[in-house]
Amino acid sequence: MEVIICDNYENMSKLAAGIIRQQLLIKPNSVLGLATGSTPIGTYKELVRLHKEEGLDFSQVVTFNLDEYLGLPPSHPQSYRYFMDQNLFKHINIPPGNIHVPYGHAESVMEFCAWYEAQIVAAGGIDIQLLGIGGDGHIAFNEPGSSLGSRTRLKTLTEQTIKDNARFFSNADEVPRFAITMGVGTILEARRIILLASGRSKAAIVAEAIEGPITSQVTASALQMHRDVVVILDADAGAKLKRADYYRWVYEQKKRLVPQMIGHA
Ligand code: GLP
């Protein structure tokens, strides 16, 4: 696992977008796994800038989003599909048919989940998966206790997640109680993973996930088993890491001697 502590949110976002840019230059038909939440917004902004100002091409890119609230149609302003349209898809040249976001209105959720997994496989698997981390350590909507081998399925949200995500709704009662989410096992199959975290409120859970034991109680800790993860943090989110000095030192060495290896564990 590579851990990079950036000075601020802007640098964190630019670094993440730069890694995705590199991937698209090497493989223009890459399959990207995408995340929602406030954390990746800066990364998406930078990708949009790279598209508009530097011609970064998304015409062959295929995307799979991690999750979606159950019961919210794509047109709902709090749906993750709507979020992705507003923050990324409508600003880049990705063909609409290449975009996959779990469908919150699926008639048969179980069938939909199996179909979603099959679509990922048919696309050749995910090249880079972008992740945020929830306040309780979840990745996607894999709440504490989720099997570390779990696949795309329906999950019940914890009270903490409902409270955390209430800021996007007019009140907590409006936050859906269920979501369709890729499983931890699905996520771990991505060839590379970028985990982003920003802000003081994430510092303790980031330290648990990166430096604590691997446990289904903090599903982000499962990333420790993945062979190619880069964790990109701003200084606040990295504030509770015991080995922060070592991570900074590694990054400095890499920048100086093997810059092409930045973004690789
Ligand atoms: C939601 C999403 C996660 C995301 C998390 C953190 O629960 N399902 O994918 O990582 O929010 O959101 P934020 O980045 O706003 O802190």
Side-chain angles (χ1 to χ4, degrees):
M1 189 179 259
E2 180 183 36
V3 181
I4 302 178
I5 305 170
C6 298
D7 293 342
N8 53 45
Y9 178 76
E10 201 192 339
N11 290 346
M12 176 191 95
S13 305
K14 282 200 171 139
L15 190 60
I19 293 170
I20 295 171
R21 172 178 173 273
Q22 248 345 87
Q23 169 71 28
L24 297 190
L25 294 180
I26 293 167
K27 186 182 171 198
N29 60 347
S30 288
V31 179
L32 301 180
L34 299 176
T36 51
S38 47
T39 313
I41 288 178
T43 304
Y44 295 148
K45 263 201 187 123
E46 177 63 7
L47 287 175
V48 170
R49 190 196 68 75
L50 287 169
H51 169 66
K52 294 207 159 133
E53 293 177 17
E54 296 179 25
L56 185 63
D57 182 27
F58 290 84
S59 65
Q60 299 176 63
V61 169
V62 174
T63 64
F64 286 91
N65 261 80
L66 288 167
D67 46 11
E68 179 61 285
Y69 290 116
L70 188 75
L72 297 195
S75 55
H76 191 289
Q78 267 70 43
S79 75
Y80 283 170
R81 174 59 202 244
Y82 188 88
F83 171 98
M84 290 307 302
D85 286 342
Q86 299 308 311
N87 288 290
L88 183 66
F89 297 146
K90 74 175 194 186
H91 306 289
I92 57 175
N93 64 333
I94 184 166
N98 290 11
I99 296 169
H100 305 84
V101 179
Y103 188 54
H105 254 193
E107 235 167 70
S108 161
V109 172
M110 272 170 71
E111 271 172 41
F112 176 82
C113 292
W115 177 85
Y116 201 69
E117 290 266 339
Q119 291 300 111
I120 296 174
V121 173
I126 291 172
D127 289 301
I128 292 198
Q129 174 67 58
L130 193 60
L131 294 175
I133 181 169
D136 59 9
H138 67 230
I139 45 176
F141 268 131
N142 292 288
E143 297 287 32
S146 292
S147 155
L148 301 186
S150 52
R151 312 303 306 188
T152 303
R153 69 212 183 289
L154 187 75
K155 273 305 282 185
T156 312
L157 307 185
T158 61
E159 284 180 75
Q160 183 180 344
T161 298
I162 291 169
K163 226 169 71 197
D164 287 350
N165 291 357
R167 67 202 144 108
F168 299 111
F169 294 79
S170 35
N171 62 65
D173 290 339
E174 278 186 18
V175 183
R177 269 45 184 166
F178 299 96
I180 295 173
T181 180
M182 276 189 208
V184 180
T186 321
I187 293 168
L188 289 178
E189 279 173 13
R191 285 185 269 280
R192 283 172 78 191
I193 296 178
I194 303 174
L195 175 75
L196 298 177
S198 155
R200 264 280 158 179
S201 65
K202 296 284 171 71
I205 197 68
V206 162
E208 263 190 73
I210 296 175
E211 296 179 333
I214 297 174
T215 165
S216 64
Q217 297 307 308
V218 178
T219 54
S221 68
L223 300 176
Q224 293 178 34
M225 295 190 299
H226 192 279
R227 64 182 159 185
D228 205 354
V229 176
V230 54
V231 178
I232 310 180
L233 309 168
D234 64 9
D236 285 343
K240 296 210 165 146
L241 289 168
K242 285 198 195 81
R243 297 196 185 279
D245 288 345
Y246 174 64
Y247 307 137
R248 287 199 167 94
W249 188 81
V250 170
Y251 185 53
E252 286 313 313
Q253 303 312 304
K254 274 190 168 182
K255 258 206 303 207
R256 211 160 52 85
L257 300 169
V258 279
Q260 71 278 14
M261 288 307 293
I262 290 172
H264 280 286

